[in-house]
Amino acid sequence: MSRELQDLAVRVATAAGERAATWRTQGVEVSALKSSPTDVVTEADEATETFLREQLLDARPDDGILGEEGDGLASRSGLTWVVDPIDGTVNYLYDIPAWAVSVAVVEGDPEPGRWRTVAGCVVNPVLGEVYAGFAGGGATLNGRRLTASGRTDLGRALVATGFGYAATRRREQAEVLLRMITRVRDIRRMGAASLDLCGVAAGRLDAYWERGLQPWDHAAGALIAREAGATVGGLAPGSRETEEFTLAAAPGISGALRAALVDAGVP
Ligand code: LIP
């Protein structure tokens, strides 16, 4: 069942990514602002989510939907699809090739920290990269098995993070980064949480952390990173990834990273 759900996620996310990439080449307009003047949504975000919903409900009409751009749909089957039609919206708006379609399916209460993620897919259409995974089945990139980094020295770790849209939170996040930047190899800020999490799964990053992620930002990428052997969760050991805090790291540095983040002032 889990593999079949993964295959459905791959099919619909790949098709949605092709449509979003086509719209990108035709030009993109901001259609609305959300939490701040820089938190934008484009017509492509909305149209891509509509497409994802149609495809998923056509295949599985009793499932629920939790998406970034539309109203929630309660599940009658116990499964809910958690979708981000375009993660990395600002990158998409600027035509920076670091945006993704993220599709996950979760079992139980569709709340991060309470759900059980069953399968997921993150597609970067510009690079032709399809990350996928299912619970207990491992994670892949274009069919190739993924394994998280074997890094054991935080001082040689390449880490990624991100910033919220609210100025006050961005200041707090920058102050933490100021204290962290001398404790790691270097920092990357890609602008799409799903790709950051998949970067940890692929060993392209040794770790990633961020506060303030929405459920659809991390649902698929967290599963893929976990299935690749990364330590994934909140700031406290054993906690789950939520809006409060999301971390994914090579197991050999996860403890040191958490301690350094606490020391750097992460609340
Ligand atoms: C984005 C996240 C990213 C975060 C951005 C933004 P969106 O999601 O994927 O990690 O740093 O501020 O929230 O808004 O592009 O779907």
Side-chain angles (χ1 to χ4, degrees):
M1 174 67 165
S2 299
R3 183 184 293 277
E4 289 72 20
L5 291 169
Q6 173 197 258
D7 294 347
L8 176 56
V10 169
R11 178 167 62 82
V12 301
T14 301
E18 290 167 0
R19 294 164 71 99
T22 300
W23 286 322
R24 177 55 266 184
T25 61
Q26 294 168 351
V28 170
E29 295 293 329
V30 172
S31 58
L33 300 179
K34 297 195 283 190
S35 65
S36 79
T38 56
D39 184 2
V40 299
V41 60
T42 71
E43 291 166 344
D45 286 275
E46 294 164 332
T48 303
E49 180 158 329
T50 299
F51 174 80
L52 285 168
R53 287 170 177 257
E54 289 168 353
Q55 295 292 308
L56 290 167
L57 294 176
D58 181 53
R60 294 185 53 86
D62 292 334
D63 290 359
I65 302 275
L66 173 63
E68 179 167 21
E69 308 307 343
D71 297 333
L73 177 67
S75 174
R76 296 190 300 272
S77 68
L79 296 179
T80 300
W81 293 88
V82 185
V83 301
D84 192 339
I86 297 177
D87 184 34
T89 298
V90 174
N91 288 345
Y92 185 78
L93 184 66
Y94 280 76
D95 200 11
I96 297 170
W99 54 272
V101 176
S102 180
V103 176
V105 57
V106 301
E107 187 175 39
D109 184 352
E111 276 293 322
R114 289 206 290 269
W115 68 36
R116 183 181 80 88
T117 314
V118 177
C121 177
V122 174
V123 176
N124 181 334
V126 182
L127 300 186
E129 293 191 331
V130 179
Y131 296 89
F134 63 92
T140 57
L141 168 55
N142 293 350
R144 175 174 55 84
R145 199 69 183 252
L146 294 179
T147 304
S149 158
R151 186 69 57 198
T152 56
D153 175 0
L154 184 63
R156 295 178 61 194
L158 182 64
V159 302
T161 190
F163 306 98
Y165 289 111
T168 47
R169 169 156 289 184
R170 293 167 68 78
R171 172 184 294 279
E172 291 167 5
Q173 291 169 318
E175 286 166 354
V176 168
L177 187 58
L178 190 60
R179 300 183 190 108
M180 288 296 295
I181 201 160
T182 55
R183 303 184 67 165
V184 296
R185 174 195 295 267
D186 204 349
I187 301 280
R188 294 292 183 268
R189 196 300 194 237
M190 257 81 89
S194 59
L195 293 179
D196 289 320
L197 289 161
C198 288
V200 174
R204 291 175 171 172
L205 292 169
D206 297 307
Y208 160 71
W209 77 84
E210 188 161 353
R211 290 187 63 211
L213 293 181
Q214 296 303 310
W216 39 81
D217 291 326
H218 62 71
L223 168 86
I224 291 165
R226 192 174 277 122
E227 285 298 319
T231 299
V232 182
L235 186 58
S239 63
R240 296 289 301 277
E241 63 279 3
T242 63
E243 182 173 1
E244 183 54 35
F245 202 86
T246 296
L247 174 145
I253 59 168
S254 59
L257 176 62
R258 281 181 161 132
L261 287 164
V262 170
D263 187 49
V266 173

